[in-house]
Amino acid sequence: MLGNLTGESFLIAISGIVIVFIMLAVLCAFIPLISRCVQMVESRGRKAAPAKSVAPAAPAPQAAPEPAGGTYGGEVMLIDVDEKTAACIMAIVSHETGIPLSELIFKKIKAL
């Protein structure tokens, strides 16, 4: 009786492992399919968006506005931040906001 129980347990365990691997294979095929569908929807959205909303072009800014406290000398106060990290932060802010680095004014960068 004990030998039969062990054989059944072994078959149940093997069938469970086989089912898990089959499901993993299905997911492996399903994920790229979903990715392609999402990319197609996004590309259609990008192509359709400019056609729907046509806005007049904004005039280019003439000069960067001066800060309220008078003319700014261009010095950046770094508090617990080295120059390389500060340069990376400035580049990231410029990239994420879409504002050219020459138009941004940084007065102080402080590590939190």
Side-chain angles (χ1 to χ4, degrees):
M1 176 122 186
L2 185 62
N4 190 19
L5 184 62
T6 306
E8 286 180 24
S9 300
F10 181 72
L11 287 176
I12 291 172
I14 291 297
S15 64
I17 291 172
V18 168
I19 289 171
V20 167
F21 277 111
I22 289 172
M23 292 305 295
L24 286 174
V26 168
L27 285 174
C28 186
F30 192 65
I31 289 173
L33 180 67
I34 293 292
S35 177
R36 286 190 195 113
C37 291
V38 169
Q39 288 175 353
M40 287 174 44
V41 169
E42 285 181 352
S43 67
R44 286 182 186 167
R46 279 189 236 132
K47 289 178 184 175
K52 290 180 183 176
S53 61
V54 178
Q62 298 299 326
E66 289 188 13
T71 50
Y72 180 65
E75 292 292 319
V76 178
M77 185 185 315
L78 301 178
I79 302 172
D80 296 329
V81 178
D82 61 320
E83 290 181 2
K84 184 177 179 181
T85 304
C88 289
I89 290 170
M90 288 187 258
I92 290 169
V93 168
S94 174
H95 178 73
E96 290 294 320
T97 59
I99 301 171
L101 193 56
S102 61
E103 294 181 13
L104 290 174
I105 297 174
F106 293 91
K107 293 184 178 182
K108 177 171 47 172
I109 298 176
K110 178 179 178 182
L112 299 179

